[in-house]
């Protein structure tokens, strides 16, 4: 095949389309009932969902490590957090497809990352920094950009923080 297929460009949409096609075929009386159409369709859809879950997991870990770094810059693990941010962001970027944008709950990703970062920091006597925004401070394209930079992410996050008593 000389040109890329939807499978190569957007496996999530491909999986949804293939599952819908299989379900439509499964309703045809002239086709064999030997194939378990519904479960085959479910398995293909789960392939697409697992791709999204992988990206969500990697992005959550990026945010967790950025939050930990901002909150506890003197922690012994701080330098390794920078490496982990790079590793997880690269994995997310490589597996992210534009069609995933509307399928990812970005606000839930942020809430989950904040809770996880706080829980991890508390294990070692640290706490999540006060004043973090309640809503996701990053645009999806920023998080999966080839130009993602931890220092810029830290600056962006710091600028989105609410200073106590500051009521814009």
């Amino acid at each position: 095949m000389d040109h890329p297929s939807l499978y190569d460009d957007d496996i999530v949409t491909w999986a949804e389309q293939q599952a819908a096609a299989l379900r439509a075929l499964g309703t045809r009386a002239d086709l064999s009932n030997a194939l378990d159409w519904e479960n085959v369709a479910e398995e293909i859809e789960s392939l697409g969902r697992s791709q999204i879950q992988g990206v969500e997991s990697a992005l959550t870990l990026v945010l967790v490590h950025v939050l930990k770094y901002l909150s506890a810059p003197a922690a012994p693990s701080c330098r390794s957090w920078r490496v982990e941010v790079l590793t997880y962001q690269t994995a997310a970027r490589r597996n992210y497809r534009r069609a995933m944008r509307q399928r990812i709950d970005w606000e839930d990703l942020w809430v989950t990352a904040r809770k996880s970062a706080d829980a991890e920091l508390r294990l070692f006597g640290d706490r999540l920094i006060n004043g973090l925004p309640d809503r996701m401070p990053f645009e999806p394209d920023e998080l999966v950009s080839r130009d993602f930079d931890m220092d810029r992410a830290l600056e962006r996050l710091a600028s989105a923080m609410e200073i106590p008593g500051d009521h814009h």
Side-chain angles (χ1 to χ4, degrees), residues 21-35 37:
L22 285 170
R23 285 190 177 97
L25 286 172
T27 63
R28 290 183 40 187
D30 62 321
L31 293 179
S32 169
N33 287 333
L35 188 59
W37 296 99

Side-chain angles (χ1 to χ4, degrees), residues 1-11 14:
M1 192 181 283
D2 291 340
H3 55 79
S5 71
L6 186 58
Y7 178 87
D8 296 320
D9 292 336
D10 181 1
I11 196 164
W14 174 88

Side-chain angles (χ1 to χ4, degrees), residues 64-85:
V64 165
H65 287 84
V66 168
L67 286 165
K68 290 190 311 186
Y69 192 96
L70 182 67
S71 298
S77 301
C78 195
R79 288 197 298 225
S80 70
W81 295 337
R82 291 184 80 87
V83 173
E84 291 175 23
V85 164

Side-chain angles (χ1 to χ4, degrees), residues 110-159:
W110 177 244
V111 169
T112 300
R114 285 182 55 174
K115 286 179 181 178
S116 295
D118 191 44
E120 289 181 30
L121 286 167
R122 286 176 185 262
L123 286 174
F124 299 99
D126 287 312
R127 295 187 62 145
L128 202 57
I129 194 167
N130 288 325
L132 290 169
D134 292 330
R135 299 191 52 85
M136 170 67 91
F138 300 101
E139 291 296 319
D141 291 342
E142 287 178 275
L143 291 174
V144 295
S145 170
R146 183 175 296 278
D147 298 326
F148 180 87
D149 177 77
M150 181 153 173
D151 291 323
R152 281 197 306 268
L154 290 165
E155 289 170 11
R156 173 118 160 111
L157 187 52
S159 71

